[in-house]
Structure formats: C-alpha cells, structure tokens
C-alpha cells in the first residue's frame, strides 16, 4: 500500500461514523446508481428513436402504397376509351359534321365520360386530338382555349405504354396516355385525366398533421390543411431534402417522390422533467430508508458515546436505555456491568476506610474506663448538691451525660432524639465556657421516632461553628431546625445555622467540592466535616451528604448554614 | 415505705438520700449501707420494701447482693443505679425482679417517679382506694397507643414532673420542639389543649391526695401537684369538675 493510500485510509477511518456512512453512501450507492440510470436512459432514448424512425418509415411506405393504388385506380379509367369505336372514328376524322358527332356522342361516347362521374377525385377527363379539337363532357364544360404543347406531351406519352402522371401547377395531377387505333401502333389522340390532388390525398389514412411534400421533376409541391399547391420556399426545401431531413418514397407509377418530414422523436421537456423528478424522488425515498435504518444502529452508538463522554469519573452511572440483543447492546451491557462493579468497589472502599477511621477512634476511646469516670463525676455532683452549689452540680450532670453518649462503644448510628440530646449537652458544656457568648435554640417540627443519625454529626458541626465562626464580642447564636421534607415524606431536613463570620467564597467552594465528591481524600485537612459527610453518605439510602451555604462579611446576612437530610426507618 | 440505699461512694449515697427526702406524700424510712456485705449483715432481718443499689462496689457486687436478697426475701423490689449501660447487667437484673435501671448521673425526677409508682403499686391494696366521680379528666385515656411517640414521651414527662411548673415553652424547650408545632400536635391528636393534659395528671394526683390522706390541707395538695397557689387548684376544680376541693373531699371520701 502506498503512502498516499495509507494516508487516505487513515483519513477515512478518522472520520465520524456518520461522515463515513455518508461517504459510503455517495461512493457505493449514489454515484453508481446515478451513472447507471443515466446510461440506461440514454440507451432507452436511442432505442425509442430507432423504433420511432422504423414506424415512420413504415407509415411512409403505407402512404406511398395507398397513393400508388389510388393513382392506378384513376388511370384505369383509360380502358373506357381504349377501344371505343365512336371515339376512334371521331379521332381519325370520320365524322364530318358536328351534328353527326353529337349524335354519336350522346349515343355512345357519353357513357365513357360518365364512368367517372361518381368519383370525386377526378376533376375532368379530356381527349385531345391531333387536329387540336377536344372531346369534353358538355355538363363540365371548361374553356379549352389555347393549345397545350401537344407534340411534347405525345412524345412523353409514347415513352410509356401505360401512360404517365405529372403534377400541374394548378393543384391537379394530370394523367396522359396515347390512344391508338385498334390493330395499329400509330397514336390518334391523347387522353388526359385530371385528378384533384387534394381530394386524392385527403382520403388517405395515416397522413401526418405536418405538411406533406411531393417532388415532381424540379418542382416541389406541398399538401397541408387539405390544400395542394406549390411550396413557398422550394430552394430551402430542396436543400433540406438533400440533407436527409425528409423521408423520401418514390411513387413508381408516376414520376413523384413522396417526402415526409423526418421529424425527430418527440422528446418533450415535460417528459425529461418528469423523468428526472421521478428518478430524484425514488432516489431520495430509498436514501431516506437507507439512512433511517443506519440511524437506528449508528444512533445508538453515537448516543452511547455521548453518554460516556459526559460521565464524570467520580460519579459513574449505568447507561439506562433499551439494550437490544445485538453486538451494540452487548457492548453497552458490558460497559454497564463494568460501571456497576467499579461503583461497588468504590463504595466498598469508602465503607472500609470509614470503618477503619471509626475503629481507630474507638480504640482510643476504650482506654478510658467509663465506670471510673462516672463515679468521679457523680461524686463531684453529689458533693456540690450537698453544699448547695447547683451550678456545679448541673454542669457535672451535663458533662457526665455528654460523656456517656460520647464514650458509647456502639459504632452504629443512634436514634436522632439521642443525638439531639447529646448535641444539646454539648452546647451546654460550651455554654459553661462561653457563658452568654453562646446561645442556641432548637425547633423541631416533625415526629422524630424511627429516624436514626450517625453519631457526632451535630457535635462536629457545632464544634466547627464555635471554633471557626465565633466573632469575638458578638454572641454566637446557633439554631437547629428540623422540618419534614416537602418533596419526600420519608425524610426530614435538618438545618444548623449560625450567625458567625461565615466562610469566604474560595474556601466555601473548596469545601463544597470536597463534600460533593465521592472520592476519599487523604485525611490531612477538614477531617471532621469530611468524616461526618462520608458517614452520612453511607448512612442515607440516597447517598446524600452535607451541604454548606455561607455568606461572609460585608454581607449583612452573614453566617453559615449546614444542612442535610435523614430518612425514616433506617437502621436503629 | 422502707428503702435501703446501698452505695459505696459516700457523697453519692447522701445525694440519693437528699433526693428521697423530698417525698412528702407518704412516710419514707431510709437506711443506708456502704457495701453489699454491710447491707446483708445489718438489714437482712429488717422488713424492707425497696433496695436502691449501685451495681459495681468493692466487696460484693450489686448483682450478688440482689441475688441474695432475692432468694431469701422474695418481695423486695430493686432499683439499680449504674455507670454502665451494659445490656447484660440489665438482663440479669430483670431476671431478679429489678424495677428500674438508672444510669449515672442520676436523674432525680426519674428516681422519685420510680419510688412513687412503686409505693403506689405496693400500697394500693392497703389503702382502700375511693371511687372517683365520672368526669372527663378521670376517664381520658392518657396511655392511648395511637398517640405519636413524641406525645407519649411528653405525657410521661408530665407524669414525672407535674409537681413542678410546666408550660408549653418549658415542654418545647425540653423536647426541642417548635412551640407552635407542639401545641398543634397536642390539639390535633388528643383534641384537647396542653392545659387539659396538665389538669388531667395534676387533678388525678390531687384527687388521690385529697381522698387518701386526711392530714393533707388543700394548700399542701396544691403545692404537691404543681399548682402555683391554692386559688389555681380551686379554679381547676371548678373548671374540670364543677366543684371545689373541699366539697370533693367531703362528698367522695364518705363512701
């Protein structure tokens, strides 16, 4: 494979799938089919034209045959005159007087002339004698003044025994034939049958609507719209004839040439337009089907790819869509399984590290002997009580209560009520230190039974608030609100708010990032909040943890709000 | 009622004694012992109703003491006070007929409540209990199991502390509830106000004091049932029973 080919191949493979499909469609479907259909249409047109020409030629031959037989029919009237004694007597000059001729005429000659009377194609029949007289039909009396070129005509007629046809300028075809005395070969007169060309032609079937041309000698005649006359531009027509634009058929019994315009096959622009539109539409239709089918498959891959690209590494989710049983479905199913396992591993890891943290904590705790501690505290309390020092007694009681909760070896979460009592004890202990500088309030607006809470969640939040939020000289107010969640009846919202100095935006952003991430950070900074966040996440069925909102001075509404959610019916 | 207090720490022991001295409704005889051994040696022959003992002491453990007293002196009741909240102790204690298991630091009202109800259970038969007149506050079921947990806890609290000043704000503060929410919950679930619940508990106590003890004056009763003055007790009687404490005593103690 040459370098150019390889380069081309690489370029093709680098394209998006939809581009590849489009290219494939153009090169394997659109171009071949387009070319093929173009060739087919050309060949089809060629064949049609050929058939059309053949048809035309056949029509012309039929027309010529019709014309020929028609002329023969007309020329056959000559037989009436060939052997009629009366006519011969007249022609050789046996009738001396006009009255004798007329007597014989009405007696026998009239029959001959009346033979064509019903044939409207025939204009008139004349016999021209040597003596320049003419016999004519009286009721069709036509002026015969002037002489035709009798001798020339006789010479021409002598050449052909059966006579000849010629076209006259007046729209008539003339048939000439010599009349012989029976038994001799010397002509005694000339028969002329004048046929109305228009009448002859118009009876034919299959005459095209275009003008029909007739070539007789050097003259060109034209038949159109039922009239027969000399053509208007004979020179041009003759030139066209020579160029083969006409189909010429010779009429054998006459010196005519029948010319039919060789019109090209009528390929109208409407037809071409229709052809192309139909081709285009069928192409578009099938392309549409092709692309639709491809889209079904490719679309799934593209969607899946988009889904994968949008995944965050710390929050992998399964691709939830209909998986079909083909290869694409197989790939997606494999991916889902992978994600599932990764999530399980991450979760197990999280749990394990939490467990380890707790274990470390409780190991420390176990070093203090509880009984010893409580007895000491109880002693102090009893002593103060006896001496009337109720403040000290109260403090000691609070401290002992708090220590009882804090030193509990139970690693499970506690009922929320107990956790709240511990939080209140913790606040009271801090009040011992801070006095009026710390104020607190609780406001519970829901039932607390059946809700459990990881231990020390409140204590950690309160501790943070006192340590980081306290502004010296201003009493720190901590309020704890518990309200039923509006969107989920099975959960409660817990909000711990203070009026402290708040958290500056950059720090807040950092804290929120840590809290919203599922990753476990090395335990160096912000251990407390992160620890309770992780424990809340492993405690809550929806894996929700803490959220922090804060505004720092100079904002008038400064302070920090830490909120989280707990679910009913958790572990006891 | 005879009570023996066994506790090896002298200060705690005297603190318990001082708590128990606050009981005024019935006479209490208090004995103390430093250890289980001491208790057994000195008081095994004395008629004792209740032993309040620490569970972990130098010579004889509280449980061993319980066992000994339990085997030899069947009817004695026990209250254990312990630094441990270990379940196995509680379990053994229950098997030996322990009435309650209290944790250090000692909650005074819990302790006193236990002693009072024990006294009530032990001497109920002895004092011919007078019939109470039919009235809503006597018939109202305070232990309705359909009440939410929070309300049951609150009623329990009222029963233990009715002799002190109790108001909606104090209750809300104690249970950390929003006062409006608490008031709404009480009204909705019981159909009565907090004042009714308080009167319910206090008037029942007042009635049994008035009818049970001839020496108690109305002023004593009002003090011991948490009414700030005699006038308040009169008002509550008028409101809930339509009578005065004196008339009430006269009419019902005759029967």
């Amino acid at each position: 494979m040459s370098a150019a080919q390889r380069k081309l191949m690489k370029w093709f493979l680098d394209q998006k799938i939809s581009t590849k499909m489009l290219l494939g469609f153009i090169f394997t479907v659109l171009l071949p089919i387009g070319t093929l259909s173009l060739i087919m249409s050309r060949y089809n047109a060629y064949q049609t034209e050929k058939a059309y020409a053949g048809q035309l030629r056949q029509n012309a031959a039929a027309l010529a045959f019709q014309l020929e037989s028609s002329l023969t029919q007309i020329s056959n009237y000559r037989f009436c005159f060939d052997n009629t004694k009366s006519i011969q007597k007249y022609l050789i000059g046996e009738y001396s007087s006009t009255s004798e001729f007329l007597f014989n005429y009405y007696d026998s000659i009239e029959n001959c002339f009346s033979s064509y009377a019903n044939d409207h194609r025939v204009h008139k029949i004349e016999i021209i004698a040597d003596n320049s007289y003419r016999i004519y039909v009286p009721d069709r009396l036509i002026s015969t003044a002037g002489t035709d070129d009798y001798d020339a005509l006789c010479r021409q007629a002598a050449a052909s025994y059966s006579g000849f046809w010629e076209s006259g300028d007046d729209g008539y075809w003339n048939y000439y034939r010599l009349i012989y005395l029976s038994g001799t070969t010397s002509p005694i007169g000339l028969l002329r049958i004048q046929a109305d060309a228009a009448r002859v032609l118009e009876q034919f079937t299959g005459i095209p609507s275009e003008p029909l041309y007739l070539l007789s000698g050097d003259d060109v005649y034209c038949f159109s719209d039922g009239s027969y006359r000399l053509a208007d531009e004979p020179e041009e027509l003759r030139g066209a004839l020579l160029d083969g634009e006409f189909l010429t058929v010779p009429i054998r019994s006459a010196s005519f040439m029948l010319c039919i315009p060789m019109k090209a096959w009528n390929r109208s622009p409407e037809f071409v337009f229709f052809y192309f539109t139909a081709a285009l539409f069928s192409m578009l239709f099938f392309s549409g089907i092709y692309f639709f089918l491809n889209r079904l498959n490719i679309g799934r891959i593209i969607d899946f790819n988009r889904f994968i690209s949008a995944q965050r590494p710390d929050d992998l989710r399964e691709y939830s869509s209909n998986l079909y049983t083909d290869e694409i479905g197989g790939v997606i199913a494999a991916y889902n399984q992978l994600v599932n396992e990764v999530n399980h591993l991450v979760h197990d890891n999280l749990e394990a590290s939490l467990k380890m943290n707790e274990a470390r904590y409780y190991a420390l705790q176990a070093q203090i002997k509880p009984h010893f501690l409580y007895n000491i505290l109880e002693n102090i309390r009893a002593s103060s009580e006896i001496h009337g020092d109720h403040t000290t007694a109260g403090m000691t009681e609070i401290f002992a209560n708090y220590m009882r909760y804090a030193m509990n070896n139970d690693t499970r979460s506690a009922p929320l009520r107990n956790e709240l009592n511990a939080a209140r004890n913790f606040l009271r202990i801090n009040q011992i230190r801070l006095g009026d500088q710390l104020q607190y309030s609780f406001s519970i607006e829901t039932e607390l039974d059946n809700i459990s809470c990881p231990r020390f969640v409140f204590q950690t939040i309160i501790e943070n608030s006192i340590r980081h939020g306290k502004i010296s000289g201003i009493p720190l107010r901590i309020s704890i609100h518990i309200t039923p969640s509006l969107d989920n009846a099975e959960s409660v919202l817990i909000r711990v708010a203070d009026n402290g100095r708040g958290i500056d935006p950059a720090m807040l952003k950092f804290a929120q990032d840590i809290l919203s991430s599922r990753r476990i950070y090395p335990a160096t900074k912000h251990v407390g909040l992160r620890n309770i966040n992780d424990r809340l996440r492993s405690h809550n069925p929806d894996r929700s943890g803490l959220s922090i909102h804060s505004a720092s001075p100079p904002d008038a509404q400064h302070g920090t709000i830490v909120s989280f959610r707990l679910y009913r019916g958790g572990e006891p | 009622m005879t009570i023996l207090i066994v506790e090896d720490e002298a200060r705690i022991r005297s603190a318990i004694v001082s708590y128990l001295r606050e009981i005024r409704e019935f006479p209490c005889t208090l004995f103390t012992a430093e250890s289980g051994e001491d208790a057994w040696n000195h008081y095994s022959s004395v008629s004792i109703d209740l032993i309040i003992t620490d569970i972990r002491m130098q010579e004889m453990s509280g449980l061993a003491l319980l066992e000994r007293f339990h085997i030899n002196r069947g009817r004695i009741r026990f209250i254990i006070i312990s630094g441990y909240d270990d379940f196995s102790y509680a379990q053994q204690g229950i098997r030996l007929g322990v009435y309650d298991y209290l944790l250090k630091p000692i909650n005074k009202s819990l302790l006193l409540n236990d002693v009072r109800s024990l006294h009530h259970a032990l001497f109920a038969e002895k004092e011919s209990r007078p019939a109470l007149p039919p009235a809503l506050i006597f018939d109202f079921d305070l232990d309705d199991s359909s009440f939410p947990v929070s309300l049951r806890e609150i009623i329990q609290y009222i029963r233990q502390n009715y002799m002190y000043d109790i108001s909606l704000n104090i209750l809300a503060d104690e249970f950390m509830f929003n006062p409006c929410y608490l008031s709404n919950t009480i009204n909705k679930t019981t159909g009565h106000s907090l004042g009714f619940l308080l009167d319910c508990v206090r008037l029942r106590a007042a009635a049994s004091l008035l009818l049970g003890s001839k020496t108690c004056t109305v002023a004593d009763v009002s003090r011991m049932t948490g009414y700030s003055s005699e006038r308040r007790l009169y008002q509550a009687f008028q409101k809930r029973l339509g009578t005065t404490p004196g008339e009430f005593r006269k009419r019902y103690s005759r029967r």
Side-chain angles (χ1 to χ4, degrees), chain A residues 268-303:
Chain A
S268 61
E270 290 86 20
F271 179 79
V272 175
F273 176 73
F274 171 77
Y275 178 84
F276 271 102
T277 319
L280 204 66
F281 265 101
S282 61
M283 192 92 94
L284 279 179
F285 177 69
F286 288 110
S287 303
I289 292 178
Y290 172 85
F291 274 110
F292 173 71
L293 289 177
N294 268 324
R295 179 71 211 166
L296 282 183
N297 281 321
I298 305 300
R300 287 163 64 208
I301 295 183
I302 290 174
D303 269 7

Side-chain angles (χ1 to χ4, degrees), chain A residues 101-114:
Chain A
F101 167 68
L102 282 176
F103 176 78
N104 282 300
Y105 182 86
Y106 283 115
D107 191 33
S108 58
I109 300 172
E110 196 199 7
N111 290 332
C112 297
F113 280 99
S114 61

